[in-house]
Amino acid sequence: PQWESSPNAHVVAGGADTVTVTFAAPSVPAFFSVVFDRRTLLPRVLHMTAAAHFMTDRYSGFDPGRLIRAPS
């Protein structure tokens, strides 16, 4: 994902259920705003704005966590 290594990320908003983080990606070049679920830290919505392009990605339907058990 675009936010894998962004040293200039900033938390700009937080609610009961979400946290919004913004950052710039000079390699693209573009500005990003990502809304994360506060409980799972999974992304909900990503907005990207560049010089001649913009997009919105919506993330939903993540698979549930796997149950890990000790070997028997």
Side-chain angles (χ1 to χ4, degrees):
Q2 292 89 344
W3 58 84
E4 189 170 31
S5 61
S6 294
N8 58 356
H10 298 278
V11 174
V12 295
D17 298 331
T18 62
V19 174
T20 302
V21 177
T22 61
F23 60 93
S27 62
V28 175
F31 293 96
F32 294 87
S33 174
V34 187
V35 178
F36 289 97
D37 183 287
R38 185 179 286 277
R39 185 178 56 80
T40 64
L41 297 180
L42 291 171
R44 288 188 179 178
V45 178
L46 175 133
H47 297 283
M48 190 257 330
T49 305
H53 181 75
F54 65 91
M55 70 180 194
T56 298
D57 292 340
R58 299 199 183 280
Y59 299 90
S60 64
F62 289 101
D63 292 336
R66 301 254 182 215
L67 177 62
I68 299 174
R69 293 183 287 225
S72 50

